[in-house]
Amino acid sequence: MTSKAMAATRTQSPADAVSAKVEGTTKPAHDRSILGIRAKLFLAFCAMAGLTISAAAIAWYAFVAIERSVDRITTESVPSMAVSLRLANKSTEIAATAPALMASVDQEERISAQIKLEARSKELAGLMRDLKATGIEPETEANLIEIQEEIVRHLGELNAAVKEQLRLKVQRKRTSAEIAAAHGQLVQILEPLVDDAVFNLVISGENLTAQSTKAITDLVEGGIGTIQLLLTINAEANLAAGLLAEAANAADPVLIQPIRERFFAAAATVERSLTELPELVEKTKLQQALESLLVLGSGSDNIFDVRERELSEVDAARNLGGQISSSALLETKRKNMAAASRLAHDDLLEMLTPMVDDATFNLVISGEDLTAQSTRAITGLVEGGIGTIHLLLTVNAEANLAAGLLAEAANASDPVLIQPIRERFFAAAATVERSLTELPDLAERTKLQPAVEALLVLGSGRDAIFDVRERE
């Protein structure tokens, strides 16, 4: 019986009950024997009690299930969620701290960031243990542990990489400072060497010019001057001989005096040239030959006087009507003197000609010697002076290039660019070493060698700046 039926029964009026009772008495007997009102009421109450018990059982079961769910949520899900949220938060903190580690500018900042990361890594490991205690699934636990270990491993690798990078950065800066110092020291050594080489070149050039000037002067005075004097003596002796012959054949005594004066002038030139002539082996013989010629025109009984007296005697004999006079004797004497003049002139020419040839030959030989000496001196000047300056300037230029390439490599932003810079540095270093080897001055090489090696080793040694920058 439902609750509505029970309510309807309870609300029946007394009249209705009496009427029902009368009607029941009038019903057939088999209806009363099957189910009476009491039985119906009993059944109704039993049914209502059963439904109540069923509802109570269902409600109890439902509340038990709800209790289990609430217990599982409060004891398992909520702690797991809380630990998971804390784990996610800690992972976020670690992810936020890792860039700070990468951005460390020195070892102190790196150590500080690493301490924070280690502390948070430990906290992350503790949260993993807490999460395990909440009873998560083994597969999920294994995955999370693997991720946590991978994070720790990556953090260790990151710390090692940043540590090495900072060490290489410090080493690079130190090497860059060493490059600047080595280059400065090399320049300090090179500059005075170049100045000294230029000064020595100027002095050597001036000395060479002075020596060349002296050699040319000696050549002119000793060779060309001798030839000039010999040729002057030859020419003036020829003139004097011709004047003697002219005076010997003069037809008018008035013409003799001008010829005499010209002869004296030629004789004076011959004597002056003979005096200026350098000391030669044949100078004494030449002087004797000249005196033998000139005495015929300047002696006490010279050809001019003889010809004048002869012409005077001829004129006197003509005036006396052709009487024999001493003119024949004077004519004979004159002719003899003219013959002696020709003979002395021939002897003089025989002596002068080989002297001029010898002087010319000596001049040629001296000129060739002077040319050879000048060539050797100029070659020595070029090789010793200009060559030294060229080598020093080459060392300076290539060392500057090498230092610039080292600085460029130290600041290269792309590792691909380092190898071309390295190759250019090696080429510059080879040129520096070759030029240094070719320096003729051992003292200069000894002074430059340590400074050059101190610079070049920074790009070719065990810790070269190229390798440091590539690793960094």
Side-chain angles (χ1 to χ4, degrees):
M1 181 180 295
T2 63
S3 59
K4 290 182 178 181
M6 294 173 64
T9 303
R10 286 193 300 266
T11 55
Q12 285 181 346
S13 61
D16 293 333
V18 173
S19 175
K21 184 177 180 181
V22 173
E23 291 177 356
T25 59
T26 62
K27 286 183 178 181
H30 66 275
D31 291 334
R32 292 195 303 268
S33 62
I34 294 174
L35 185 63
I37 186 67
R38 183 175 296 178
K40 292 181 178 178
L41 289 173
F42 179 77
L43 290 174
F45 281 111
C46 288
M48 185 174 62
L51 290 175
T52 302
I53 293 171
S54 297
I58 293 172
W60 179 81
Y61 178 79
F63 282 120
V64 170
I66 292 172
E67 182 182 7
R68 285 199 300 269
S69 298
V70 171
D71 289 340
R72 187 168 61 251
I73 290 173
T74 55
T75 59
E76 297 179 6
S77 299
V78 173
S80 298
M81 291 174 60
V83 173
S84 299
L85 290 175
R86 290 167 59 193
L87 188 63
N89 185 32
K90 192 59 62 178
S91 300
T92 304
E93 291 180 359
I94 291 175
T97 308
L101 176 63
M102 295 177 61
S104 301
V105 296
D106 52 28
Q107 295 291 356
E108 293 182 357
E109 289 189 9
R110 181 195 65 80
I111 293 173
S112 176
Q114 176 61 19
I115 292 173
K116 293 179 181 179
L117 281 175
E118 289 178 353
R120 289 169 182 173
S121 298
K122 291 179 181 179
E123 293 177 0
L124 182 65
L127 291 175
M128 289 296 298
R129 290 192 297 271
D130 295 341
L131 185 61
K132 181 179 180 180
T134 59
I136 62 174
E137 296 180 359
E139 182 179 357
T140 304
E141 178 187 356
N143 291 333
L144 290 176
I145 291 175
E146 182 180 358
I147 294 173
Q148 185 256 342
E149 291 177 351
E150 186 176 0
I151 290 174
V152 172
R153 184 177 68 256
H154 285 325
L155 289 175
E157 293 175 355
L158 177 63
N159 177 59
V162 173
K163 179 180 179 180
E164 179 66 12
Q165 180 187 11
L166 293 176
R167 186 189 69 79
L168 293 172
K169 179 180 179 181
V170 172
Q171 184 178 355
R172 174 176 59 85
K173 290 183 177 180
R174 183 174 64 252
T175 306
S176 298
E178 293 175 355
I179 291 171
H183 182 238
Q185 184 178 3
L186 179 60
V187 170
Q188 288 180 356
I189 296 175
L190 267 174
E191 287 182 351
L193 290 179
V194 173
D195 293 339
D196 293 342
V198 173
F199 178 76
N200 293 333
L201 176 63
V202 173
I203 297 300
S204 300
E206 292 178 352
N207 293 335
L208 178 59
T209 303
Q211 292 174 1
S212 299
T213 303
K214 184 178 182 301
I216 294 173
T217 302
D218 293 341
L219 180 65
V220 171
E221 293 178 353
I224 300 176
T226 299
I227 295 175
Q228 180 183 4
L229 292 172
L230 290 174
L231 292 177
T232 300
I233 292 172
N234 190 12
E236 296 299 323
N238 290 337
L239 177 60
L243 292 172
L244 290 175
E246 184 179 357
N249 297 299
D252 189 352
V254 178
L255 300 175
I256 292 177
Q257 184 59 33
I259 296 173
R260 186 200 306 269
E261 292 176 356
R262 291 171 62 195
F263 173 80
F264 285 158
T269 302
V270 169
E271 292 175 354
R272 184 175 63 253
S273 299
L274 186 64
T275 304
E276 295 176 357
L277 192 67
E279 292 296 329
L280 301 173
V281 177
E282 300 87 354
K283 184 176 181 179
T284 303
K285 294 181 180 180
L286 178 62
Q287 186 175 3
Q288 293 174 357
L290 287 171
E291 289 177 355
S292 298
L293 176 63
L294 298 179
V295 73
L296 296 173
S298 59
S300 58
D301 193 12
N302 57 70
I303 196 169
F304 299 104
D305 295 337
V306 171
R307 184 57 177 167
E308 281 182 342
R309 290 199 306 272
E310 181 185 358
L311 292 175
S312 298
E313 290 293 335
V314 170
D315 290 341
R318 190 179 295 118
N319 292 330
L320 292 175
Q323 296 181 357
I324 299 174
S325 62
S326 60
S327 61
L329 297 175
L330 292 173
E331 180 182 359
T332 302
K333 184 177 182 180
R334 173 182 59 81
K335 289 181 179 180
N336 293 333
M337 294 181 70
S341 173
R342 287 193 298 273
L343 182 60
H345 184 232
D346 291 339
D347 293 339
L348 178 61
L349 291 179
E350 290 179 0
M351 185 176 296
L352 271 174
T353 300
M355 291 181 68
V356 172
D357 292 340
D358 292 341
T360 303
F361 179 76
N362 292 333
L363 176 62
V364 173
I365 297 301
S366 299
E368 292 178 354
D369 292 340
L370 177 60
T371 302
Q373 292 175 2
S374 299
T375 301
R376 288 194 298 270
I378 293 173
T379 302
L381 181 64
V382 171
E383 293 179 353
I386 299 177
T388 299
I389 293 176
H390 172 70
L391 291 173
L392 289 175
L393 292 178
T394 300
V395 171
N396 190 14
E398 295 299 323
N400 290 339
L401 175 60
L405 292 172
L406 291 175
E408 184 179 356
N411 297 293
S413 58
D414 190 349
V416 178
L417 301 175
I418 293 179
Q419 183 59 30
I421 299 174
R422 190 202 306 264
E423 294 175 357
R424 292 172 60 196
F425 169 81
F426 284 156
T431 303
V432 169
E433 292 175 348
R434 183 174 62 253
S435 300
L436 190 64
T437 305
E438 294 175 357
L439 275 177
D441 192 345
L442 180 60
E444 292 179 349
R445 289 204 307 269
T446 304
K447 187 180 295 184
L448 277 174
Q449 189 75 35
V452 169
E453 291 179 354
L455 176 63
L456 299 184
V457 74
L458 297 174
S460 58
R462 184 171 58 86
D463 289 329
I465 188 68
F466 303 103
D467 299 331
V468 172
R469 186 56 175 167
E470 279 182 341
R471 294 198 302 270
E472 182 185 357

